Amino acid sequence: MRFDLKNDALRKLNQYLHENPEKQVAVRNPAGRHNIAVGIDADIDVDIHGHVGYYCAGMNQNSRVTIHGNAGPAVAENIMSGCVRVHGNASQYAGASGHGGTLIIDGDASSRCGISMKGIDIVVAGSVGHMSAFMAQKGHMVICGDAGDFLGDSIYEAIIYVRGKLGELGADCVEKELTPIHREKLASLLMLAGLDHSVEGFRRFGSARDLYHFDIDHAGKY
Amino acid sequence: MARQRSKQYKDTHMPDVISQRPSATFPLDVLDEIHRAADQGIYEIRGLGAKRKLPTFDDLLFLGASMSRYPLEGYREKCATNVTLGNRFAKTPIELDIPITIAGMSFGALGAHAKESIGRAATLMGTSTTTGDGGMTEEERQSSKTLVYQVLPSRYGLNPDDLRRADAIEVVVGQGAKPGGGGMLLGQKITERVAEMRDLPTGIDQRSACRHPDWTGPDDLEIKIQELREITDWQIPIYVKVGASRVGFDVALAVKAGADVIVVDGMQGGTAATQDVFIEHVGVPTLPAVRLAVEALQELKMHRKVHLIVSGGIRSGADAAKALALGADAVSIGSAAMIAIGCNRNAYIEDYKALGTLPGYCHHCHTGRCPVGVATQDPHLESRLVPEQGAQWLRNYLSTMVLEMQTVARACGKSHVLNLEPEDLTALTIEAAAMARIPLVGTNWIPGNNQT
Ligand code: SF4
C-alpha cells in the first residue's frame, strides 16, 4: 500500500495503519509532518521516504518503521515493541520513555536521547547530545560515537555503552566493568544494527545507586 | 503581660524563669519545624493539601430567590445535574450524570482497595474516575465505567493499549499542591507490584520528573495532543490539567494547544507525598483560580466550548455549586473522596499514634502506613478498607453533595445546576469579592473593577 502525503491526509494514513493494514506500506513526501505512523499495532513494515517531524512511530507496537531521512523530536517515543530505524539524524528526545522494542539511528542523535527510557534498546551509530539517558530506568543505549555532557544523569537500571569520547557524566552515573554478559548483549545490539565495531572499544556506564535513598550527604547531587 | 511579670519579680524577688509569652515570629509549630530540620537535614515531605488558612468558597453566599425571582419546588420540579465534557474535537465525549468527578490518584499512592472503592462509587453515581502516576490497573479499569487516563511527565506504565481503552486522556502539566513540581513516592510504598508497573527497582525513593520528557511549551503540546488524538483515532476527549498559578495564561495556552477539557487544580489540592514548602507556599487558591480560568475562556469565546473542571479543596455540594456558579462545568474531588472512604476516620488510634499523629491530624500518606488502609500497599493495613464498604461510603457522600447542589440551585430558581451563575452569589469578604469578582455583600462593589 502506498500513501503520498502531498495528497493524502495524515489522518487517512494513520487510520489505515490502525485497521488491518497490508504487510508493506510506503509513505512518500512526508515533508517533515508530525505524528506520522503513530500508534501502530501490527506486524508490518512501513517505509517513510523523506524527513519526518515530531513523534514519528510514537508508541509503536510490533511494526518495523524505517525513516529514509532525518527524524524530528521524539522519534519512537514510548515505543513498546518492534523496531524503528532512522537512516539520517534524529532530533532531541529520541526514544523518550520507550518501554521496549529497538530504535536504531544511523546518524547522530541530539540532546536527551533515551530520556526516561523504560526498557527500549537504542543504538546510535553516531554521537548523542547532552543529557542523554536522563532518568533512564531500563534498557540499553549503545553510543558508537561521542556522548555529550551529563550522560545518564539520575540514571536507574538502564545500561549505557559508549565507544567515543565522553563529556562530564551526569549525577549518579558511573563507569562499570564490561563483563562477559554485557559484552554479549552489546555484540547482539551491534549485530542487530548491522554495525561491525568490536565490543572491546566500548565502556559501560550505569547507576552508582547513591540517589536511590535520600541521604543528606548527597544533597548536592539532587 | 510584661508589666505583670515585673510586678511578680518585685514581689517575690524570684527570677522570672517561666515566661510563657509566645513569639509571633517563632510560634511553636515554627520552632518544631526548625528543630526537625536541624535533626533531619531534609525538608518535610507529607501528604494531603495546604493546611494554612486560605480564601475559600465559604467566603461566598448564595442569594436565594424571593420576590424578584421564584425558587423551584424541591419535590416536584426537577433540577438536572448531567453534564457533557469534551465535545470540542472528540467523537465520543464524556457524558456524566453528575458534575462531580474523581481526581487522579495513583495506584501506588493509594492501595488497590481504595482505587476499587473509588471506581465502584464513581460508576454507581454515573461519574468518572481518573488514573494517576503509575498507570492503569486492571482493578480500576474493571470497576470504573468512565475512566480518565493520565499522561504524566514520568510516563510510568504509559502504553497505547491503555490509551485506547480509556474514556478520556488527561495530559497532566501540573498539580495544585505543587505547580512546577514532580512526583515522589518514598521507598516504603514501592512494593514489587508498584515497582513493576513503574519499571523501577523495589523499595527506592522514587522521584518523577516535573516536565514531560518529549515536549516543552504550548507549541509542542499542541503536537503532542494531536499525536494522542491520532493514536486514539480522534475518538476520546483530551483533557489538560494545570496546577493553579498563572491561570489565565495557562488556560489560554491549553485552548490554543487543542484541549477539549481543561482541569484547573487550586493550591488546596492534595498530594500523596510532596515537600511541605511546596504545598503551603506555591500556587493560587481555588477561589480566584476558577474566576481567572472562566475569564480566559470567555475572552477567547470558548467558555462552555472547552469545558472547565475545577478541583482543589472541594468539600461539599455548596463548594461545588459555587464553582459551577462562577462558570466551571464540573468539579473534581480527591482528598474529600479519600476522607469519605476512611482517611482520618476515628479508628485504629494506636496506629495513628505510632505515626506520631491522631485522627483528624494525619497527613502521613507518604509513609505507606495508613491506619485506615487507604494510602498503603501493606496487605494487613489495606484489609481494613473493604472495597464494597468504601464504595458505599463514597457513594453516600457523592449523593449528599448532589442533593446539596440541587437544594441550592432550586433555591436560586435553577432547573439545572449548570444554570447557576455569578449573579446568584454575593461575597462575604473584600478579599473574596476581589478574587471571585463578586460584589461585596450589601454593596455593588467589586474591588479591582475599574469602574468602582
Ligand atoms: S489516614 Fe491514611 S489517607 Fe488519611 S492522611 Fe493518614 S495516611 Fe493519608
Side-chain angles (χ1 to χ4, degrees):
Chain A
M1 184 68 181
R2 287 163 183 271
F3 285 84
D4 185 341
L5 292 184
K6 207 192 260 179
N7 307 314
D8 297 321
L10 177 74
R11 182 80 282 274
K12 184 177 159 195
L13 167 67
N14 283 332
Q15 187 81 49
Y16 173 81
L17 292 170
H18 299 167
E19 292 171 354
N20 203 13
E22 283 176 15
K23 284 272 178 203
Q24 305 278 340
V25 178
V27 180
R28 302 213 169 265
N29 293 309
R33 272 198 190 75
H34 309 311
N35 301 319
I36 295 175
V38 295
I40 303 176
D41 183 6
D43 180 11
I44 60 170
D45 288 281
V46 180
D47 281 274
I48 303 168
H49 299 276
H51 308 309
V52 296
Y54 280 61
Y55 307 131
C56 184
M59 302 212 188
N60 186 64
Q61 289 167 292
N62 297 308
S63 82
R64 293 158 300 280
V65 177
T66 306
I67 299 158
H68 302 267
N70 299 322
V75 61
E77 70 85 21
N78 215 83
I79 179 176
M80 305 300 293
S81 58
C83 180
V84 176
R85 182 157 202 151
V86 183
H87 281 321
N89 300 316
S91 183
Q92 54 190 345
Y93 333 125
S97 79
H99 282 69
T102 311
L103 170 63
I104 300 165
I105 298 164
D106 290 332
D108 298 322
S110 182
S111 58
R112 295 184 169 80
C113 179
I115 181 173
S116 270
M117 55 193 270
K118 294 170 170 52
I120 183 179
D121 289 332
I122 302 176
V123 182
V124 183
S127 301
V128 299
H130 68 273
M131 293 293 279
S132 286
F134 175 50
M135 291 184 102
Q137 294 172 222
K138 264 188 192 172
H140 303 85
M141 178 181 281
V142 180
I143 303 160
C144 300
D146 304 334
D149 281 340
F150 315 122
L151 179 72
D153 196 287
S154 306
I155 188 171
Y156 293 95
E157 293 299 305
I159 297 170
I160 309 172
Y161 303 96
V162 186
R163 183 163 174 270
K165 291 196 296 288
L166 277 170
E168 190 183 326
L169 282 179
D172 218 25
C173 183
V174 291
E175 183 163 2
K176 296 187 167 184
E177 191 193 345
L178 195 66
T179 68
I181 293 173
H182 296 109
R183 282 168 211 268
E184 202 179 310
K185 179 70 188 175
L186 174 57
S188 71
L189 289 170
L190 289 168
M191 194 193 291
L192 189 71
L195 296 164
D196 55 10
H197 301 302
S198 156
V199 296
E200 299 310 323
F202 285 84
R203 296 159 71 189
R204 174 169 78 100
F205 298 86
S207 179
R209 305 188 179 101
D210 284 343
L211 301 184
Y212 278 13
H213 297 281
F214 186 83
D215 180 338
I216 184 63
D217 295 330
H218 297 138
K221 288 188 176 181
Y222 283 90
Chain B
M1 187 73 180
R3 249 205 317 271
Q4 270 176 2
R5 274 210 305 277
S6 358
K7 184 168 177 284
Q8 184 190 28
Y9 180 67
K10 210 164 73 182
D11 290 350
T12 61
H13 299 279
M14 289 288 287
D16 183 12
V17 288
I18 311 173
S19 167
Q20 293 195 344
R21 185 179 180 193
S23 164
T25 310
F26 293 96
L28 284 179
D29 59 327
V30 172
L31 295 177
D32 279 352
E33 172 51 21
I34 293 174
H35 292 147
R36 190 208 56 75
D39 278 345
Q40 298 175 0
I42 182 174
Y43 35 56
E44 187 191 356
I45 296 170
R46 68 171 177 87
L48 298 190
K51 292 198 165 187
R52 66 191 294 161
K53 193 162 167 44
L54 290 165
T56 70
F57 291 113
D58 283 345
D59 299 328
L60 299 178
L61 297 173
F62 280 104
L63 298 169
S66 55
M67 296 282 276
S68 61
R69 59 212 66 208
Y70 61 87
L72 297 190
E73 170 58 58
Y75 294 100
R76 303 223 169 86
E77 290 171 318
K78 277 217 156 105
C79 178
T81 59
N82 63 305
V83 60
T84 301
L85 298 172
N87 54 5
R88 182 186 185 192
F89 293 118
K91 289 180 197 157
T92 318
I94 297 283
E95 303 283 353
L96 302 178
D97 294 342
I98 61 171
I100 307 166
T101 67
I102 310 294
M105 291 178 277
S106 74
F107 171 74
L110 298 191
H113 288 200
K115 288 297 273 181
E116 190 181 336
S117 304
I118 289 170
R120 284 174 180 235
T123 300
L124 287 166
M125 291 300 294
T127 190
S128 62
T129 182
T130 313
T131 65
D133 210 356
M136 185 189 288
T137 66
E138 205 49 45
E139 292 98 320
E140 72 181 332
R141 179 60 282 188
Q142 292 311 322
S143 59
S144 314
K145 179 170 170 279
T146 308
L147 184 60
V148 182
Y149 185 43
Q150 288 193 327
V151 174
L152 291 121
S154 72
R155 306 286 164 88
Y156 294 138
L158 180 73
N159 69 80
D161 294 328
D162 286 342
L163 275 180
R164 286 185 281 255
R165 65 181 186 148
D167 299 291
I169 296 166
E170 182 170 291
V171 180
V172 180
V173 179
Q175 189 181 332
K178 48 181 166 183
M184 276 186 176
L185 199 60
L186 301 189
Q188 53 268 40
K189 293 179 92 168
I190 309 278
T191 60
E192 259 174 49
R193 184 174 179 203
V194 172
E196 195 188 323
M197 282 179 71
R198 298 181 185 216
D199 298 293
L200 286 170
T202 310
I204 66 162
D205 292 340
Q206 170 250 293
R207 299 149 290 145
S208 316
C210 60
R211 295 202 307 262
H212 282 258
D214 57 355
W215 63 268
T216 43
D219 295 336
D220 283 6
L221 176 58
E222 185 172 354
I223 304 167
K224 186 75 204 170
I225 287 177
Q226 197 192 51
E227 184 204 12
L228 296 169
R229 290 199 192 282
E230 285 293 325
I231 289 171
T232 53
D233 292 326
W234 293 71
Q235 290 292 335
I236 57 177
I238 311 271
Y239 297 14
V240 172
K241 176 174 179 173
V242 294
S245 54
R246 293 176 182 83
V247 179
F249 292 138
D250 286 346
V251 167
L253 291 170
V255 169
K256 190 229 161 224
D260 292 304
V261 175
I262 299 170
V263 183
V264 175
D265 191 24
M267 75 174 282
Q268 294 100 318
T271 170
T274 297
Q275 300 94 323
D276 180 80
V277 67
F278 230 133
I279 300 173
E280 299 289 357
H281 297 280
V282 183
V284 164
T286 307
L287 179 66
V290 188
R291 193 266 304 166
L292 289 163
V294 172
E295 274 180 9
L297 290 170
Q298 286 169 336
E299 206 168 297
L300 295 167
K301 301 205 179 344
M302 294 306 265
H303 188 220
R304 307 290 188 210
K305 291 181 186 147
V306 172
H307 296 114
L308 175 66
I309 302 179
V310 168
S311 57
I314 304 279
R315 305 152 300 173
S316 63
D319 283 352
K322 289 169 189 174
L324 262 47
L326 289 174
D329 295 281
V331 298
S332 199
I333 58 167
S335 301
M338 284 167 61
I339 294 166
I341 62 174
C343 162
N344 271 296
R345 196 172 269 269
N346 198 356
Y348 309 108
I349 311 288
E350 290 311 314
D351 289 342
Y352 281 103
K353 283 186 182 166
L355 288 171
T357 188
L358 284 171
Y361 301 95
C362 186
H363 57 216
H364 293 62
C365 310
H366 60 291
T367 65
R369 289 159 57 206
C370 175
V372 292
V374 173
T376 182
Q377 299 295 319
D378 178 320
H380 168 65
L381 294 172
E382 199 172 18
S383 68
R384 295 175 178 176
L385 175 64
V386 178
E388 291 78 8
Q389 173 69 77
Q392 187 60 46
W393 279 332
L394 182 53
R395 183 194 189 185
N396 289 347
Y397 170 61
L398 286 167
S399 297
T400 307
M401 286 182 78
V402 173
L403 287 169
E404 287 173 349
M405 290 176 85
Q406 288 172 311
T407 302
V408 168
R410 282 198 184 96
C412 294
K414 311 297 187 195
S415 60
H416 197 296
V417 290
L418 285 175
N419 293 345
L420 286 164
E421 54 195 324
E423 202 271 331
D424 294 316
L425 293 169
T426 185
L428 265 179
T429 65
I430 294 173
E431 288 80 5
M435 289 181 197
R437 292 256 199 277
I438 295 292
L440 184 66
V441 62
T443 76
N444 61 1
W445 183 41
I446 299 175
N449 262 17
N450 289 340
Q451 304 91 309
T452 52

